[in-house]
Amino acid sequence: MKSKNLFEKILFYLSAPRCIGCGERLDISDFVLCDKCLKSYFDTKTRNCSVCFKPTDECTCVNKYLSTHYIRKLFKVYRYSYDESLPSSRLIFALKRANRKDVIDFLSDEIVESIRRNLKNPEKCIFTNVPRRKKSIIEFGYDHAAELSKMIAKKLSAQYYQPLYSKVKLEQ
């Protein structure tokens, strides 16, 4: 994890941050997860893909739906599960609901690592996102996908373009 400068250390002690996974008080050396929850997160992250059998963070497989829409690689850190007891799920909930910069920073580091491992010259890519629903932006105050995409592009020295808008008709 990253070393904290003096300002970050002062802010840390004033804010008394808690682990996203279990709510325990974090130590100065922790980032968003305590040691126990970080272990659970890494266990989730290293599960194997059912198609290529690589660990999820090394897999770039796409499902049938994405492949029919000309997407050839999907970079992922772990397979999402809607299980509120898992630290990996709680990270996603915190990303979507809490607008925590530390969570965006942590998850963008994880995604950047996966992209660098699986793609040559990521700085030549253009990053964007599918926008969050307006109702959710009003409720939570921000678009988590845009913030995450912007941070990933910045860390890769790549370009970020405004969110994609789709006017695709859904077949009945």
Side-chain angles (χ1 to χ4, degrees), residues 3-167:
S3 172
K4 297 183 186 311
N5 65 31
L6 180 61
F7 175 75
E8 289 171 326
K9 287 178 183 177
I10 292 169
L11 190 60
F12 175 87
Y13 286 113
L14 291 175
S15 65
R18 304 250 172 216
C19 172
I20 294 293
C22 65
E24 290 293 317
R25 175 93 163 79
L26 290 174
D27 185 58
I28 189 73
S29 62
D30 298 329
F31 195 53
V32 294
L33 296 169
C34 66
D35 288 341
K36 183 180 119 196
C37 290
L38 194 60
K39 182 187 179 320
S40 172
Y41 167 78
F42 282 117
D43 289 345
T44 301
K45 186 176 161 176
T46 57
R47 289 191 180 129
N48 292 341
C49 170
S50 59
V51 176
C52 70
F53 305 109
K54 292 180 181 176
T56 308
D57 64 334
E58 295 176 20
C59 163
T60 59
C61 295
V62 296
N63 61 29
K64 188 175 181 178
Y65 174 80
L66 293 175
S67 68
T68 62
H69 289 82
Y70 307 103
I71 296 174
R72 300 293 171 246
K73 287 187 176 188
L74 177 63
F75 300 98
K76 44 204 165 286
V77 177
Y78 56 88
R79 181 174 291 171
Y80 174 72
S81 170
Y82 193 84
D83 179 350
E84 292 196 35
S85 68
L86 295 174
S88 55
S89 295
R90 289 181 177 240
L91 277 168
I92 299 298
F93 299 149
L95 172 69
K96 290 182 170 187
R97 301 173 185 162
N99 194 10
R100 286 186 51 171
K101 184 184 176 326
D102 57 343
V103 173
I104 292 169
D105 198 33
F106 177 82
L107 288 172
S108 63
D109 281 347
E110 294 287 291
I111 295 169
V112 163
E113 182 181 318
S114 177
I115 291 170
R116 285 190 173 134
R117 182 176 30 254
N118 295 294
L119 185 68
K120 293 179 182 175
N121 304 317
E123 67 281 353
K124 294 182 180 178
C125 292
I126 296 170
F127 289 84
T128 189
N129 61 284
V130 176
R132 190 174 203 180
R133 295 184 327 219
K134 287 185 182 184
K135 180 182 174 186
S136 295
I137 292 173
I138 291 167
E139 182 178 353
F140 297 106
Y142 79 117
D143 184 342
H144 67 286
E147 296 303 316
L148 189 60
S149 296
K150 287 175 190 176
M151 183 67 76
I152 291 166
K154 181 179 177 182
K155 289 179 178 184
L156 290 171
S157 300
Q159 292 182 3
Y160 172 82
Y161 280 15
Q162 66 184 9
L164 298 174
Y165 290 92
S166 175
K167 294 186 180 186

